[in-house]
Amino acid sequence: MRFSVGLGKDGAEKRLEQNGVSRRDFMKFCATTAAVMGMGPAFAPQVAEALTQKKRPSVVYLHLAECTGCSEAVLRTVSPYIDALILDTISLDYHETIMAAAGHAAEEALHEAVNSEDGFICVVEGAVPTADGGVYGKVGGNTMYDIAKEIVPKSIATICIGTCACYGGVQAAAPNPTKAMGVSKALGGVPTINLPGCPTNPFNFVGTVVYYLTHKSLPELDANGRPNLFYGEAVHDNCPRLVHFNNDEFAPSFASEEARKGYCLYELGCKGPDTYNNCPKVKFNNKTNWPVEAGHPCIGCSEPDFWDEMSPFYESL
Ligand code: SF4
Ligand code: SF4
């Protein structure tokens, strides 16, 4: 993947075509994004317009303490064209793991995007290690803590992608030796839009950006900083196994006849009733499936401190 600063600002649709993304594919993507946002297919042209307008802000994507799983989810989900699609349409002008530039050129790219006249949206993936001044996580000689302190306050809005950036994630699991924490907490309560998940569903991410581009404001958030649009309902409320839960039909083991029949996974540790996310509706991997449908309990990955609060994962709470 090659990637240069400013690529996404102009002529996005033409470049998508050159990269093998037809107008039809693009509109299909826009229709899915519209559906995830709770709008009908008729909203697809507005999504397309928002994603290709020349004056859209740059997106600066910072990597802090994380596994890059959320980036992988964004780039791999709708093969083979999501990379070109995302990079071009949201004007992703700085992304440490996929940009072609390195060293000083990368620093320059960051500077250009941060000072762009239309402003920039900061996306953060990963927790902020704060112990001992932040020495346990560095990029280019600077601590992640200092990078976050410098870049985040300058953005129009900060989107935390993944549970690590939102609430600390696995890095913050007890005993948390690096004192890793979510961006908002590390920076003294700065407002962030939290899109938790391990990984975040890519459509929740694109949907949030599109919401901002179409409404020029941010979506309504819940008490944990999550957009109600995507996190307003419990996983349990839309689960296809709910009928079995209501009938007291639970799978006693993964190898049981009941599991094969699709019975509820609550007794095997499912945290769906206490977890807010749209996984059953949006699914993963091009809408093919999601964990509970595939036979695995929800482990509560979009809730604060899920590593400590929702474990052991295979025991009911
Ligand atoms: S499998 Fe989980 S989410 Fe689905 S009905 Fe049972 S407890 Fe709820
Ligand atoms: S089903 Fe639960 S654990 Fe799995 S991705 Fe959704 S919220 Fe996370």
Side-chain angles (χ1 to χ4, degrees), residues 253-276:
S253 76
F254 288 109
S256 63
E257 182 58 26
E258 290 86 346
R260 269 191 291 279
K261 284 181 177 166
Y263 280 19
C264 173
L265 303 173
Y266 186 72
E267 289 182 356
L268 295 174
C270 186
K271 310 298 188 300
D274 298 298
T275 305
Y276 289 79

Side-chain angles (χ1 to χ4, degrees), residues 197-199 235 275-277 279 284 290-292 297-302:
C198 200
V235 166
T275 305
Y276 289 79
N277 206 336
C279 314
F284 292 87
W290 67 288
V292 172
C298 167
I299 59 171
C301 77
S302 22

